[in-house]
Amino acid sequence: MSPTPLVLVVDDNHLDAELAIDALSRCKVAHAVHVARGGREALEYISGCGRAGAQTLPSLVLLDVKMPLLDGVEVLRRLRQDRRSKHVPVVMLTSSREERDLERCYDAGANSYLVKPVSHEEFVRTTARVLEYWLVLNAAPCASAAG
Amino acid sequence: MATRSGRYAWFRSRGQAVRDADGRAVRMVGALTDISLLKENEQRIRELNEDLERRVEERARELRLVNEELRHFIHSLSHDLRSPLRAVSGYAQMLASRKASQLDDEALRWAGHIVDGSARMGHLIDDLLAYSRVGAKGVDPRPVELEGVVAAVARDLAPHVGAAGGRIEIESPLPVVSADPTLLTQVFANLLENAFHYRRRDVPVAIGVTCELDGDRARVAVSDNGIGIEREHQERIFQVFERLHAQDEYPGTGMGLAIVRKAVHLLGGDVTVESRPHEGSTFYVTLPLAREAVLARPETT
């Protein structure tokens, strides 16, 4: 039985996190979801990966940019320094359309960037495309062999 | 020179030598004028001027700071407003789609209103942000071929205009103007989109772009055969969030022409409108010609 790819959602705002979970639950691509409420929790989750019998390394991270304490870009930087999460695709979620913020994300090693639309239906459609892209079309070799 | 009271003062001395019959100077006749006051005043004026310049410079710096602060404020405001708005819209949408069976018709309609309202607010926030961003990265005027810019904008719009049975005609050649290409594109994208958006339903839409040269300026006209604008509203339409129509009649946020005016002013030009209701509108954009274009212009007009 091959493991289902895992999507790690990192968002401190529980209303937003729940919307993301809803959007993910409506995607056709099979996957599991883990939610980290903030940057610290996300990094703790990753550091728990890799040991025998430990939790699954995510195949995709949806990372909110604007979070208190440890903001998304800083979390991303640390994910890129960790050999376990170095190559995991990270899609940044934000409500900002400023080019400066976008550049900051790419400089820190983001794979993609998603401006959260006001309309949830639109968000559901976009999320479906993101999953299709990262979990099917561009799945890492191990993940595609597994899925 | 020291005066009797012991103070030193400025004097202007004017004199003439008085000569004898042989032309030898025997004495001087002249006047000494105390010009201390004049000198003091000159000095004071110089100081006042320097002070004024310094204050103007200080004020300009303050204004630049306030401007930058305001832009940051609008940016974070729009960012922070969007997040709760997503929750309002998102959960109302979920209610309307996923719990539809548990809601009666009225509740469903109300949920729909929440979704529509938040979508509109989302557009307002986006456009507010777009307006604050016009020219925020600085204006970089250089020679730009107007024709290329207008043609690119028209190309994007052509499928919609074609589907509505209309046409866009662009005069050729159009001059080379001195402008920032990004701002210039914004100006004509908004004007052409408006010309299409506010079309009459009873005639095929016809949009035209023509240009006249006036000294070192180009006067570009974007005309349409659309619904037109009443005279009393012709100034209002350039203001932020000003709209003349109901949302379900002609949707929009009322930001397009405010963006046009801001961009044109940043380019050192101006925009005006001539219009008659039910006949159409013509927007005139004056822009500085590129230096080369002025020089290369034939003598005849």
Side-chain angles (χ1 to χ4, degrees):
Chain A
M1 207 25 215
S2 53
T4 320
L6 179 85
V7 178
L8 176 65
V9 174
V10 189
D11 203 325
D12 66 293
N13 180 334
H14 71 101
L15 291 178
D16 270 17
E18 212 176 302
L19 285 177
I21 294 167
D22 179 72
L24 287 168
S25 74
R26 289 159 72 186
C27 293
K28 289 204 185 82
V29 182
H31 66 278
V33 181
H34 180 84
V35 179
R37 293 270 161 86
R40 179 92 34 216
E41 222 179 283
L43 294 172
E44 274 166 16
Y45 180 89
I46 295 291
S47 64
C49 295
R51 288 193 300 269
Q55 56 238 36
T56 330
L57 188 70
S59 303
L60 174 69
V61 179
L62 300 181
L63 177 56
D64 191 49
V65 174
K66 200 174 186 181
M67 292 189 293
L69 297 173
L70 208 55
D71 98 317
V73 178
E74 185 50 37
V75 173
L76 174 60
R77 226 170 260 132
R78 298 195 194 178
L79 286 177
R80 289 305 180 230
Q81 283 161 7
D82 190 320
R83 63 180 169 77
R84 283 164 295 204
S85 51
K86 201 172 190 165
H87 301 295
V88 174
V90 176
V91 175
M92 305 301 285
L93 299 183
T94 172
S95 45
S96 164
R97 282 161 201 264
E98 284 285 295
E99 219 169 282
R100 201 178 37 194
D101 293 343
L102 197 145
E103 275 169 21
R104 234 159 52 87
C105 290
Y106 283 123
D107 286 349
N111 294 84
S112 172
Y113 185 97
L114 197 157
V115 179
K116 294 189 263 189
V118 167
S119 160
H120 184 58
E121 292 306 315
E122 205 183 318
F123 183 61
V124 170
R125 286 194 294 272
T126 317
T127 308
R129 282 203 299 274
V130 167
L131 246 61
E132 177 78 18
Y133 188 84
W134 290 110
L135 297 187
V136 181
L137 297 174
N138 288 286
C142 56
S144 72
Chain B
M1 193 180 283
T3 62
R4 196 177 304 168
S5 63
R7 93 186 150 93
Y8 281 90
W10 285 94
F11 282 91
R12 171 181 290 145
S13 116
R14 267 183 302 200
Q16 212 173 359
V18 177
R19 297 166 196 281
D20 61 15
D22 301 328
R24 276 178 304 202
V26 286
R27 59 195 164 103
M28 293 283 289
V29 173
L32 284 176
T33 321
D34 183 346
I35 56 161
S36 301
L37 208 57
L38 200 69
K39 277 283 176 190
E40 266 169 35
N41 284 345
E42 268 176 20
Q43 178 64 21
R44 198 171 302 154
I45 288 170
R46 211 167 22 239
E47 280 169 13
L48 281 175
N49 272 339
E50 281 165 9
D51 188 45
L52 191 67
E53 264 171 39
R54 203 178 54 242
R55 270 166 30 204
V56 166
E57 180 53 42
E58 245 167 49
R59 196 89 190 96
R61 199 170 38 238
E62 274 168 27
L63 284 176
R64 273 196 300 273
L65 274 176
V66 169
N67 220 352
E68 188 50 26
E69 215 170 273
L70 197 62
R71 215 182 69 74
H72 271 300
F73 171 72
I74 292 175
H75 171 229
S76 48
L77 181 77
S78 357
H79 191 283
D80 290 348
L81 285 179
R82 266 169 144 270
S83 181
L85 191 60
R86 283 190 76 231
V88 173
S89 164
Y91 289 101
Q93 258 174 356
M94 281 161 73
L95 209 56
S97 59
R98 316 272 285 286
K99 299 287 174 190
S101 60
Q102 293 168 45
L103 298 178
D104 62 18
D105 287 350
E106 196 170 45
L108 274 175
R109 210 175 58 243
W110 291 348
H113 292 335
I114 300 175
V115 173
D116 291 348
S118 36
R120 210 158 59 236
M121 187 161 162
H123 290 140
L124 287 173
I125 293 173
D126 286 348
D127 283 2
L128 187 66
L129 207 53
Y131 180 78
S132 80
R133 228 186 270 147
V134 174
K137 279 179 132 193
V139 183
D140 174 24
R142 56 189 123 133
V144 183
E145 287 196 24
L146 189 58
E147 205 167 322
V149 169
V150 176
V153 169
R155 227 178 359 255
D156 291 343
L157 202 60
H160 306 286
V161 176
R167 65 198 152 79
I168 306 178
E169 274 175 21
I170 301 167
E171 186 185 85
S172 181
L174 290 175
V176 177
V177 293
S178 166
D180 181 298
T182 312
L183 289 178
L184 200 63
T185 304
Q186 261 177 324
V187 168
F188 287 99
N190 273 297
L191 287 179
L192 268 82
E193 275 162 23
N194 271 1
F196 176 64
H197 190 64
Y198 297 99
R199 63 190 181 274
R200 277 195 340 253
R201 308 291 162 178
D202 53 337
V203 288
V205 57
I207 302 167
V209 181
T210 55
C211 183
E212 279 173 23
L213 299 185
D214 177 14
D216 57 357
R217 327 215 96 208
R219 189 167 187 250
V220 193
V222 178
S223 58
D224 63 58
N225 60 345
I227 56 172
I229 305 146
E230 305 271 356
R231 176 166 284 283
E232 64 261 39
H233 301 316
Q234 290 180 6
E235 173 53 29
R236 248 180 65 190
I237 54 172
F238 291 104
Q239 284 158 24
V240 170
F241 288 145
E242 279 291 348
R243 294 181 37 74
L244 304 176
H245 305 279
Q247 224 20 269
D248 48 2
E249 205 184 354
Y250 290 97
T253 57
M255 204 50 130
L257 287 173
I259 288 177
V260 167
R261 178 143 84 176
K262 189 177 174 189
V264 170
H265 283 175
L266 283 172
L267 294 174
D270 200 10
V271 55
T272 55
V273 64
E274 273 174 20
S275 180
R276 273 169 191 277
H278 313 299
E279 287 182 21
S281 308
T282 303
F283 286 86
Y284 294 98
V285 177
T286 49
L287 291 167
L289 286 168
R291 217 190 228 299
E292 299 87 288
V294 179
L295 294 176
R297 216 168 113 203
E299 285 303 303
T300 52
T301 44

